[in-house]
């Protein structure tokens, strides 16, 4: 294993570990194992084949570049804000770090702390549990410090240039403090779950909590952007007491102390809060919660069978039984229902797919009022289709990918029913309900007269799904392993991109046909013909020879 | 002969609202013995092993290994233990060599010696060509060989194996059986948990049968045969665990699939 720079840096603090009576060489060795494993896993995995060293390096560099580019994008915003109000700019920076860190932290936290391989392989050896715990803490911290630094580097460079070079020190100190606090908060939430639940239920609730936090953050961020006025008044000093409830402003306060024209007393108080919460939080995590995790790791493996409620989540189940793909439709529904990873990947996408159009409709309604029904804002329904298309890439993956041998073993001439069953299950389970809800809202706001246009949008969306399905690689449903946070292959990602580029053209055609009467009524039959043509193309492409391993 | 493992009145349950998984287990295991620890699924075999390795706390009773209460000495005694876990989930992104090197360093084996040992043992088990590849590319049998090497690399005094033959080919099974016998001859204590009765029957000099968390038979193969009045360990297992309807199950199965 490589002697990483982080390890060599840590060697400088060896004396500290020895001072507190910890076995430094043991901690270093475990950390080396975790870093090696983590660097090859990568937080943003795009490839899922057997990787060679070169490919792994590309992946790791890609991840670094990705966060650096994000940092560059945010730096421009930080710069604009810094000219007006440095404190607002710093708060923006720490909010961005918190947002992205929390989005990934939950997954990384559960991977690091709930790694059953540690219980199976490391703890039976003479490794001291506290060494394992410290190594995991360090690993988690180093991972997020790297990401936070990449994201904030362009902004920090700007601050250094704009204010003075020394501002970099308090900013970096507070990045460390923020990561401490974020890890502590996450650990408390995980600790509560571990205390209450065990086995599969624990894993389920961990997943739900992860989705909930990500969505709350995302929705909160969007709502804040939509309430620009109140956010501005907050940072212009009109509501100083409200800042006590915004944790990211606590961290911004410390570097703000070193900038001219800031409210020194308020910034000092907020800085003290930031330091206190971070130090106490991290101490609580390292001394109480992390050892609690190690002791209770076994709870993940306890399997208490719970009688499952017999409920029919599937729409029109009996109806589909008539078709050849009916059996695969039911099986796919059951796999999706029992595969936590699939649900955790799809649910946020589905939620955001309906959240964004709804948010845009809300904004349009606020702006236009009664005039809304004379506008074309209902085109936001396209956004839903645009965003949900990615779920068709997830269907190749499953936690139970090894069980996919069953599809190949079955004596069926064509893989058509397997693919159709899985794709249909996805459509009926995830896409159809939200299409129904959004269209109902749109119809309520605009009235029945736009129904033909909504039909055009639905047909365009179906065309886009089919186009993507025709283009995408024909892996058997549920046959590929999930790796990292995402499991999109390069090829599938590029097909998705092509679909995204073509989709606005569909929207444009739709718009052009609305410019004359009876344009929409001419378009609908044309779309149906195109749909039948593409359906034929799609089903014909489903042959065993085309199916990839 | 000295006791290397001594278990007294061991009881364990995962949560208060559950029944005990282990009920009053008492064991004395001597140096150089090969113990075949058998029982039906869910009998408590893996739980016993986890308690012996201090992977689970909250048990009642005492476990002494090398004369020391393991609840007091939580890690040091493990330097003399080698363990092959039931689950074959290794760190998939590491290479076989990296994993073995890690274990060797944990057991503080001198680096030059360690590297030689790894290469030589891997050559003996015919996985030397794959040592520098990631574990994710390994077959089940290759992973099992890595696990075996990692458990034996530091020449432990007690070897605990939980279903060690998973995925191994016939030749490797033969090698392992011979290896275990020779390790026992050299004074190593082997605690072998498995479902494979024929292997347990052949290699064990003492067989312990556990059912529903209780030891229901403990002795040599001959003694177990005597107790169950059965010719094979498989027969003795069925007799002692109260499972006598295999014929009936098979007949009904054939009847149903033929309908």
């Amino acid at each position: 294993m490589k002697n990483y720079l982080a390890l060599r840096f840590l060697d400088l603090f060896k004396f500290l570990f020895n001072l507190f009576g910890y076995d430094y060489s043991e901690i270093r060795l475990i950390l080396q194992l975790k870093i090696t494993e983590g660097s090859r896993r990568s937080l943003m995995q795009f490839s899922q084949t057997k990787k060679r060293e070169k490919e792994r390096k590309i992946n790791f560099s890609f991840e670094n570049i990705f966060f650096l580019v994000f940092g560059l994008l945010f730096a421009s915003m930080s710069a604009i804000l810094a000219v007006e109000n440095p404190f607002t700019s710093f708060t923006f920076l720490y909010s961005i770090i918190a947002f992205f860190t929390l989005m990934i932290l939950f997954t990384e936290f559960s991977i690091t702390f709930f790694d059953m391989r540690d219980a199976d392989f490391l703890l039976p050896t003479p490794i001291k549990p506290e060494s394992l715990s410290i190594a995991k803490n360090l690993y988690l911290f180093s991972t997020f410090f790297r990401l936070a630094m990449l994201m904030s580097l362009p902004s920090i460079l700007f601050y250094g240039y704009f204010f003075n070079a020394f501002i970099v020190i308090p900013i970096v100190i507070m990045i460390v403090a923020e990561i401490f606090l974020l890890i502590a908060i996450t650990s408390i939430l995980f600790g509560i779950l571990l205390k209450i639940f065990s086995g599969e239920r624990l894993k389920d609730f961990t997943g739900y909590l992860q989705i909930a936090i990500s969505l709350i953050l995302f929705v909160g961020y969007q709502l804040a952007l939509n309430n620009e006025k109140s956010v501005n008044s907050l940072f212009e000093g009109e509501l100083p007491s409200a800042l006590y409830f915004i944790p990211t402003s606590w961290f911004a306060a410390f570097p703000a102390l070193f900038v001219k024209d800031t409210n020194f007393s308020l910034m000092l108080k907020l800085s003290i809060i930031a330091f206190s919460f971070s130090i106490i939080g991290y101490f609580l995590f390292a001394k109480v919660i992390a050892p609690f995790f190690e002791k209770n790791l076994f709870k993940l493996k306890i399997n208490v069978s719970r009688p499952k409620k017999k409920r029919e989540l599937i729409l029109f189940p009996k109806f589909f039984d008539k078709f050849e793909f009916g059996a695969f439709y039911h099986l796919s529904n059951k796999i999706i229902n029992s595969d936590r990873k699939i649900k955790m990947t799809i649910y946020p996408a589905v939620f955001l797919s309906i959240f964004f159009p709804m948010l845009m409709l809300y904004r349009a309604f606020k702006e236009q009022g009664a005039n809304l029904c004379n506008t074309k804002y209902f085109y936001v329904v396209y956004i839903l289709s645009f965003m949900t298309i990615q779920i068709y890439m997830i269907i190749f993956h499953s936690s139970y990918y090894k069980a996919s041998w069953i599809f190949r073993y079955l004596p069926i001439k064509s893989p058509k029913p397997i693919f159709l069953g899985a794709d249909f299950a996805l459509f009926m389970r995830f896409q159809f309900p939200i299409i129904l809800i959004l269209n109902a809202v749109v119809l309520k706001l605009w009235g029945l007269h736009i129904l033909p246009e909504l039909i055009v949008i639905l047909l365009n969306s179906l065309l886009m799904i089919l186009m993507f399905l025709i283009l995408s690689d024909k892996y058997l449903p549920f046959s590929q392993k999930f790796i990292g946070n995402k499991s999109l292959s390069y090829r599938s990602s590029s097909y998705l991109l092509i679909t995204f580029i073509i989709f606005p053209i569909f929207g444009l055609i739709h718009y052009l046909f609305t410019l004359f009467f009876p344009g929409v009524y001419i378009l609908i039959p044309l779309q149906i013909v195109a749909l039948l043509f593409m359906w034929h193309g799609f089903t014909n492409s489903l042959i065993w020879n085309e199916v990839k391993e | 002969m000295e006791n290397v493992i001594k278990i007294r009145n061991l009881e364990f349950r995962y949560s208060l609202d559950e029944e005990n998984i282990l009920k009053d287990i008492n064991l004395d295991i001597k140096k150089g013995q090969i113990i075949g620890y058998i029982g039906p699924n869910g009998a408590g075999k893996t739980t016993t092993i986890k308690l012996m390795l201090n992977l689970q706390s909250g048990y009642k009773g005492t476990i002494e290994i090398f004369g020391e209460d393991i609840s007091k000495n939580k890690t040091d005694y493990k330097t003399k233990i080698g363990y092959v876990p039931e689950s074959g989930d290794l760190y998939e992104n590491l290479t076989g060599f990296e994993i073995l090197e890690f274990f060797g360093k944990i057991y503080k084996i001198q680096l030059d010696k360690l590297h030689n040992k790894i290469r030589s043992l891997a050559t003996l088990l015919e996985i030397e060509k794959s040592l520098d590849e990631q574990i994710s590319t390994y077959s089940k049998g290759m992973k099992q060989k890595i696990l075996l090497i990692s458990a034996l690399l530091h020449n432990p005094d007690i070897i605990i194996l939980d279903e060690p033959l998973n995925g191994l080919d016939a030749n490797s099974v033969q090698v392992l059986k011979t290896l275990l016998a020779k390790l026992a001859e050299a004074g190593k204590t082997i605690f072998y948990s498995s479902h494979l009765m024929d292997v347990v029957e052949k290699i064990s000099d003492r067989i312990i049968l556990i059912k529903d968390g209780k030891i229901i038979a403990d002795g040599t193969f001959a003694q177990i045969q005597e107790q169950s009045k059965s010719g094979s360990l498989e027969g003795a297992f069925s007799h002692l665990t109260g499972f006598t309807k295999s014929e009936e199950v098979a007949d009904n199965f054939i009847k149903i699939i033929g309908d």
Side-chain angles (χ1 to χ4, degrees), chain A residues 40 56 118 121 123 298, chain B residues 56 78 89 91 98 134:
Chain A
R40 289 177 193 171
R56 269 191 254 124
D118 293 343
F121 298 109
L123 292 178
F298 69 92
Chain B
Q56 213 96 74
K78 293 183 194 174
D89 292 336
Y91 295 94
E98 284 170 338
Q134 277 189 46

Side-chain angles (χ1 to χ4, degrees), chain B residues 96-139:
Chain B
F97 185 84
E98 284 170 338
I99 289 208
L100 294 174
E101 190 190 38
F102 172 82
F103 276 100
K105 283 180 178 174
I106 285 295
Y107 290 109
K108 303 195 185 334
I109 302 172
Q110 199 197 334
L111 212 57
D112 290 347
K113 202 171 158 190
L114 172 65
H115 289 175
N116 281 337
K117 261 190 172 186
I118 292 172
R119 297 277 173 205
S120 310
L121 291 173
T123 308
L124 281 176
L125 294 187
E126 296 171 336
I127 51 166
E128 76 283 4
K129 283 179 190 157
S130 313
L131 261 191
D132 296 315
E133 283 174 21
Q134 277 189 46
I135 298 286
S136 55
T137 64
Y138 283 24
S139 70

Side-chain angles (χ1 to χ4, degrees), chain A residues 142-169:
Chain A
S142 66
T143 305
F144 287 98
F145 183 68
R146 175 175 61 89
L147 296 184
M149 283 310 290
L150 284 168
M151 268 189 284
S152 52
L153 191 66
S155 299
I156 291 176
L157 291 175
F158 169 78
Y159 294 141
Y161 169 76
F162 188 71
F163 299 110
N164 58 64
F166 294 106
I167 195 83
V168 172
I169 298 168

